[in-house]
Amino acid sequence: MAERRVKTSTLAAGLKGFWFQFRKSKRGMAGLFILCIHVIVALMAPFIAPNDPIRPTWPGYFPAGEAPLAFMMCVPSWYKYLGREVSENMEVIDGYTFASEQALQKWNVAISQPTRVSLSYNPTGGTLNDGCIEITYSRQANEAAGTSSIRLSYRFTYPYKAHPQRFWIHASYLINGTVSPSTSVHVSFSFFREDAEPLANYTYRGPTYQKDSLLVYEYPLITYDFYSPVSPWRHMWTRSTKREIFEKPWWYRAPEAKIFPTSGNYTFTVDVTFNDQGGARTQQVKVYLDNLQVLLYGNAYGLLGTDADPAAPRDLFSSLIYGSRVSIFVGLLVALISVTIGLTIGLTAGYIGGVVDEGLMRFADLLMVLPTLPLLIVLAYILSPSIWNIVMVLSFLGWMGFSRNIRSVTLSLRERSFVEAAKVVGAGRFYIIRKHIFPNVVPLVYLALSLSVPGAIISEASLSFLGLFDPNVMSWGRMINEFNGSGVAVTKGFSDYWFWVIPPGIAISSLAISFILIGYALDEILNPKLRMRR
Amino acid sequence: MTETILKVEKLKKWFPITRGLLRSLFSRRELYVRAVDEIDFEIKEREIFGLVGESGSGKTTTGRMLVRLIEPTSGKILYRGKDIVSMSDEEFKPLRKKLQMIFQDPYESLNPKMTVFDILAEPLRVQNVAHGDEIYERVCKILEDVELTPPQEFLQRYPHELSGGQRQRVATGRALILNPEFIVADEPVSMLDVSIRAEVLNLMLQLSETHGIAFLYITHDLALARHLCDTIAVMYLGKIMELASADSLIKEPLHPYTKALLAAVPVPDPTSKRAEVTIKGEIPSPVNPPSGCRFHTRCPQFIGEICKKETPSLVEIGSHHYVACHLYR
């Protein structure tokens, strides 16, 4: 038991002394502070970043397919405090609209023929059997045919002066009826603006709506002709599109701007029209509507806006936050691996010497004289740019300098008499390297670790900038690469989209600088000659 | 008659000089530093054998060969009749317990990253002779032996927290902890302050008596050798010039080189007359040692061609007094 009382490890004591000296270095503490911020951000990324960094989507239940998180090339939402007119994302009608009877109370219902058309809430219907609305049309065989309709209106306030960039309307529907084939059901969505000037000659696909002082914009959802009486649930998105931009008149080019020219009160309506062409039978049609959601996409999003991906724009702030993970991970892992390789090779070459030394050092020279960046690009390309391959390639090309360093120190250490003293008591090579040489190079290992991290971070960012990034992870280099690739700098001007490039740039350099500052502090501790006189 | 513990026969160490590629292409002659050139001597049990000579005479190389830190070029080292030169490392490892070494510089020979406990426990661990508490007890015991008391106070110290004398005591303790029969002490006090030399030396003497250890004591200080050693061998340029018991070597030096060395020893008496034996110049290069007697270039008693041509062999003149000089043929 007595032996256990004796301290046999020097590591803890060494670290304590190390910290005591490190604490005195202002540069070192500043570096450590910056590094801590980065590490905390990287660890807490899922809590800090609101969205997925690669394929963010609008949260919610959309059986018709995911909706994008935001419109492309949004500006930061805090631009509104700078006096800019911005519009933000808005969920006019959320997914629970038709999920309860209370929610239905908010809607205004107008029925043209109340005897034939009725609206009710079906608590067990819907795509998830959690309730939906049910519109019933029924006509007795002896009654006259004709058109009947029901209008559900939802009044809301649009708060932004700037118009939205897009609107997406999601709906699921099911139609079930026993009718004559000539009967059709028509469901459409419309936006109305209160107090709007009439717009002359405004037509769009189908019926023209121009009623007193209301601007009408109508989107047909379905026109259902009864070839088969029962349909399964259908889910669909209806969205403003710019596809017909060259075919339509000028005012069509930005329908959102026409509908929402400014802030104010608006009405969203769902119209269901039953075109009963007659028939001797009793007509009965049930229209079930569920999962109705109306999304308006603004031109501002999040803390740093969004990128220019047309299909699924990313939240740049989330990308920035998650990017720290990649940089720290790659930086630390590459430093760890390359320092381990360098240490092993340096110790082996230095202690064993001879042919082994020559072989290893010539191999190191060979790798050293190869131009690094082209080699990195070729290797990363051949191996396919996954994050592990990038780590492997960077580690493989990062150990040579340190191994030479360790070799030279080992060459001098192995001639020290404490090594001979160990030989005299019969210690083997491995024992001497482990117990005598290694503890004396440990400070160099710390130094090399901290100084090889920034190189690895910047190499990773360079590779990513050149397009050799892992498609499954977001990194800072990739953000800059995507800015470069989007052409925004050319088409829109760099200063309009500075928030896309400057933050990742600052992040890369501040992380690199933090390690360099720590390295300086370590260097100061390990090389007393550099210590400033105080 | 005490038993011979270590016998050295025709021990030779020539270090090859490595030259650049170009030079070795043009000249095929290989050059060697003839550090030790066919020496013979033997050390008996409990004997303190002094090896004296100038810098570069090969005494340290000899000492290091005896503990196999250097492989000899040729020759034999017989430890109790067994040749340790031809042994493999595995065969020799248990013998290392018996053959230990104390190094010259206690500031160098203790690993600065290890505690005193680790330094002293290392031989026990490497040789696998003690475990757990036994290590602790033996370390404490050895610290008491080398008069570092109380041992508990020193166990957790690092070498830089010790004085020079304390360090050399730790180094001595490290050599003793395996209970060796023979220790090579390579100028163990030359790096120490004069005031603590005597302490350390007396400690070593006392330990050799109590533990029954034979020493090969390497020094350039004849006065110290006389005080300490039973037998003294004088080396010059890799050869033993004279070998005798300490008293007879000091009182009746036979070889001119020994005489010159003795004459150079300062005497703390301003009135005493010095013998007028002086040697001039530097020790010649061991790469091209002088032909014949190695000492002939500087010898004050040079007697002619024979000194240049024939290498004198070590011959017994008096009782247990050997000298290699043409004067005594």
Side-chain angles (χ1 to χ4, degrees):
Chain A
M1 291 309 106
E3 207 220 339
R4 273 185 217 148
R5 278 184 264 121
V6 181
K7 181 170 58 190
T8 56
S9 147
T10 65
L11 198 68
L15 277 178
K16 203 177 166 190
F18 213 68
W19 171 241
F20 186 75
Q21 279 184 303
F22 187 86
R23 229 171 27 180
K24 290 182 191 159
S25 161
K26 277 179 192 155
R27 284 195 287 191
M29 290 307 282
L32 199 63
F33 178 72
I34 300 173
L35 178 62
C36 280
I37 293 177
H38 277 283
V39 169
I40 289 169
V41 164
L43 290 177
M44 305 288 289
F47 304 103
I48 298 171
N51 299 300
D52 185 80
I54 303 293
R55 280 203 81 79
T57 52
W58 193 298
Y61 173 63
F62 300 109
E66 297 293 347
L69 178 72
F71 195 67
M72 59 194 260
M73 283 159 55
C74 284
V75 298
S77 60
W78 46 264
Y79 265 32
K80 62 191 169 200
Y81 302 117
L82 303 179
R84 290 264 202 115
E85 293 299 345
V86 299
S87 56
E88 288 181 76
N89 285 357
M90 184 175 169
E91 205 164 46
V92 176
I93 291 163
D94 63 29
Y96 301 102
T97 304
F98 292 157
S100 74
E101 218 158 357
Q102 286 79 18
L104 203 55
Q105 309 276 309
K106 294 178 188 167
W107 291 75
N108 222 335
V109 184
I111 302 173
S112 64
Q113 278 178 299
T115 51
R116 293 190 182 175
V117 180
S118 65
L119 173 74
S120 65
Y121 178 73
N122 183 340
T124 56
T127 51
L128 298 174
N129 297 322
D130 57 351
C132 68
I133 60 163
E134 181 181 315
I135 296 161
T136 314
Y137 172 78
S138 63
R139 175 178 67 82
Q140 298 305 309
N142 54 358
E143 288 174 337
T147 301
S148 317
S149 67
I150 177 169
R151 164 166 287 187
L152 299 164
S153 325
Y154 184 90
R155 198 159 169 273
F156 66 97
T157 303
Y158 180 71
Y160 308 108
K161 287 249 168 57
H163 64 80
Q165 301 292 313
R166 275 269 173 110
F167 53 82
W168 283 46
I169 303 162
H170 182 273
S172 303
Y173 64 89
L174 185 148
I175 292 169
N176 185 1
T178 49
V179 288
S180 53
S182 53
T183 297
S184 70
V185 178
H186 182 83
V187 182
S188 64
F189 305 123
S190 311
F191 287 109
F192 294 86
R193 182 157 74 90
E194 291 176 12
D195 317 318
E197 294 295 315
L199 192 66
N201 299 323
Y202 176 64
T203 55
Y204 168 71
R205 202 198 270 173
T208 305
Y209 288 81
Q210 194 180 342
K211 289 179 182 170
D212 296 334
S213 58
L214 294 174
L215 175 66
V216 179
Y217 202 90
E218 186 233 12
Y219 270 82
L221 175 65
I222 43 166
T223 301
Y224 195 87
D225 295 315
F226 284 88
Y227 294 114
S228 71
V230 182
S231 73
W233 275 100
R234 297 268 170 83
H235 315 283
M236 64 188 304
W237 279 111
T238 308
R239 57 200 150 195
S240 61
T241 170
K242 296 181 178 179
R243 199 171 47 215
E244 293 143 297
I245 193 163
F246 299 112
E247 303 163 10
K248 294 290 177 182
W250 64 269
W251 43 258
Y252 180 68
R253 290 186 187 175
E256 306 85 2
K258 293 289 168 293
I259 302 166
F260 298 96
T262 183
S263 58
N265 291 326
Y266 291 80
T267 307
F268 175 75
T269 66
V270 181
D271 289 286
V272 182
T273 309
F274 300 91
N275 288 314
D276 189 349
Q277 302 294 326
R281 298 169 53 191
T282 298
Q283 309 280 317
Q284 174 142 27
V285 184
K286 282 182 187 292
V287 176
Y288 300 91
L289 271 177
D290 198 7
N291 302 328
L292 181 70
Q293 295 205 43
V294 178
L295 318 176
L296 297 182
Y297 286 96
N299 64 6
Y301 184 83
L303 286 171
L304 289 177
T306 56
D307 73 5
D309 191 321
R314 302 185 183 97
D315 173 19
L316 289 174
F317 178 70
S318 301
S319 298
L320 184 75
I321 296 298
Y322 275 94
S324 66
R325 290 187 156 191
V326 178
S327 286
I328 292 175
F329 174 77
V330 170
L332 288 181
L333 197 63
V334 166
L336 206 66
I337 296 175
S338 60
V339 164
T340 309
I341 298 175
L343 185 68
T344 314
I345 289 185
L347 287 175
T348 313
Y351 192 77
I352 293 177
V355 183
V356 178
D357 182 21
E358 280 293 317
L360 290 173
M361 285 302 113
R362 292 301 82 76
F363 179 58
D365 288 346
L366 183 79
L367 288 183
M368 265 175 156
V369 296
L370 288 174
T372 313
L373 196 61
L375 187 66
L376 277 176
I377 293 168
V378 170
L379 278 178
Y381 182 76
I382 292 171
L383 295 171
S384 88
S386 87
I387 194 94
W388 294 105
N389 285 339
I390 287 170
V391 166
M392 264 167 36
V393 168
L394 289 177
S395 320
F396 177 66
L397 291 175
W399 55 268
M400 293 84 73
F402 182 60
S403 79
R404 280 202 158 279
N405 201 345
I406 287 293
R407 172 184 170 267
S408 65
V409 175
T410 306
L411 282 179
S412 94
L413 281 173
R414 75 166 183 190
E415 302 298 332
R416 298 272 293 270
S417 29
F418 60 80
V419 172
E420 296 198 318
K423 282 185 195 162
V424 166
V425 298
R429 276 176 178 178
F430 184 67
Y431 178 88
I432 290 174
I433 290 177
R434 190 163 52 92
K435 287 278 191 173
H436 291 277
I437 312 267
F438 175 67
N440 283 291
V441 300
V442 161
L444 287 173
V445 172
Y446 292 149
L447 186 62
L449 271 178
S450 72
L451 287 182
S452 63
V453 170
I457 289 170
I458 287 172
S459 300
E460 187 274 330
S462 313
L463 282 182
S464 297
F465 174 70
L466 293 171
L468 295 162
F469 50 77
D470 188 330
N472 299 317
V473 293
M474 180 52 76
S475 74
W476 293 330
R478 179 178 176 183
M479 287 174 76
I480 301 176
N481 165 270
E482 283 171 352
F483 175 76
N484 199 37
S486 71
V488 166
V490 181
T491 57
K492 298 270 182 176
F494 170 78
S495 57
D496 285 358
Y497 286 89
W498 61 269
F499 44 81
W500 195 346
V501 207
I502 302 286
I506 288 176
I508 293 170
S509 31
S510 71
L511 184 59
I513 284 170
S514 75
F515 280 101
I516 289 172
L517 287 174
I518 291 171
Y520 273 143
L522 295 185
D523 210 14
E524 230 171 66
I525 294 167
L526 303 173
N527 298 328
K529 281 179 208 161
L530 297 178
R531 231 173 268 169
M532 276 192 295
R533 296 194 188 280
R534 297 202 173 97
Chain B
M1 183 67 192
T2 49
E3 212 179 317
T4 301
I5 191 164
L6 203 78
K7 193 163 195 288
V8 170
E9 287 176 7
K10 295 211 175 299
L11 189 65
K12 188 158 102 177
K13 180 68 196 181
W14 288 12
F15 291 106
I17 297 177
T18 48
R19 290 176 300 169
L21 181 70
L22 265 182
R23 276 205 175 182
S24 61
L25 280 177
F26 289 115
S27 154
R28 295 188 66 188
R29 205 173 66 119
E30 293 213 26
L31 295 177
Y32 293 97
V33 173
R34 301 178 190 193
V36 176
D37 211 359
E38 301 202 346
I39 61 170
D40 304 82
F41 59 88
E42 58 180 71
I43 299 170
K44 302 215 163 30
E45 271 182 4
R46 291 170 180 264
E47 185 182 10
I48 299 186
F49 186 94
L51 205 51
V52 184
E54 283 175 88
S55 305
S57 58
K59 32 184 215 308
T60 300
T61 307
T62 308
R64 286 152 64 93
M65 277 193 282
L66 296 191
V67 291
R68 263 184 60 154
L69 276 176
I70 305 176
E71 295 286 322
T73 309
S74 66
K76 283 181 179 173
I77 301 167
L78 301 166
Y79 168 76
R80 293 195 186 279
K82 285 174 285 181
D83 185 13
I84 63 171
V85 175
S86 56
M87 282 183 183
S88 70
D89 283 350
E90 285 71 34
E91 284 174 312
F92 185 61
K93 191 174 173 183
L95 278 187
R96 287 199 182 273
K97 277 181 267 188
K98 302 294 172 195
L99 306 174
Q100 283 295 308
M101 180 160 178
I102 300 170
F103 290 85
Q104 181 176 10
D105 186 352
Y107 294 84
E108 273 283 300
S109 65
L110 305 179
N111 188 338
K113 301 277 173 181
M114 287 168 97
T115 59
V116 168
F117 176 80
D118 280 332
I119 290 167
L120 289 174
E122 186 178 52
L124 299 174
R125 287 178 179 152
V126 169
Q127 287 288 344
N128 211 11
V129 292
H131 303 277
D133 285 357
E134 202 190 336
I135 292 182
Y136 179 77
E137 279 152 24
R138 282 182 75 166
V139 168
C140 289
K141 170 81 172 43
I142 214 79
L143 279 172
E144 276 165 21
D145 284 356
V146 296
E147 292 167 11
L148 289 173
T149 49
Q152 284 75 12
E153 220 170 84
F154 290 90
L155 286 178
Q156 306 212 353
R157 291 209 197 161
Y158 287 94
H160 65 86
E161 296 168 311
L162 302 174
S163 72
Q166 287 173 328
R167 286 182 204 214
Q168 199 56 297
R169 282 161 199 261
V170 172
T172 309
R174 186 184 152 100
L176 289 170
I177 200 161
L178 288 168
N179 296 325
E181 293 179 348
F182 172 69
I183 291 179
V184 175
D186 184 2
E187 308 206 34
V189 293
S190 69
M191 301 296 285
L192 298 183
D193 213 65
V194 180
S195 58
I196 48 175
R197 279 187 188 181
E199 259 181 76
V200 173
L201 283 174
N202 285 333
L203 175 75
M204 285 170 61
L205 264 180
Q206 178 200 328
L207 287 171
S208 86
E209 272 163 31
T210 52
H211 290 66
I213 301 167
F215 273 88
L216 176 77
Y217 191 86
I218 297 170
T219 182
H220 55 264
D221 188 343
L222 258 181
L224 199 67
R226 176 193 188 176
H227 167 72
L228 208 64
C229 300
D230 303 319
T231 311
I232 297 177
V234 179
M235 274 187 90
Y236 182 78
L237 268 185
K239 287 268 190 197
I240 289 182
M241 292 290 163
E242 189 167 1
L243 193 157
S245 67
D247 284 341
S248 79
L249 188 108
I250 301 296
K251 281 179 188 150
E252 319 157 24
L254 296 177
H255 198 283
Y257 179 58
T258 316
K259 288 177 189 166
L261 280 185
L262 279 172
V265 174
V267 182
D269 177 5
T271 59
S272 74
K273 280 266 177 195
R274 282 204 176 185
E276 288 295 320
V277 194
T278 51
I279 50 173
K280 296 176 215 98
E282 285 289 312
I283 188 164
S285 159
V287 180
N288 285 311
S291 60
C293 176
R294 295 269 163 105
F295 188 55
H296 82 253
T297 51
R298 299 164 83 193
C299 187
Q301 282 168 285
F302 179 66
I303 55 170
E305 282 301 298
I306 188 167
C307 291
K308 283 189 187 171
K309 283 186 180 149
E310 271 184 50
T311 309
S313 51
L314 205 59
V315 288
E316 189 163 6
I317 302 294
S319 74
H320 196 61
H321 195 136
Y322 301 82
V323 64
C325 182
H326 292 300
L327 285 171
Y328 305 94
R329 294 209 327 152

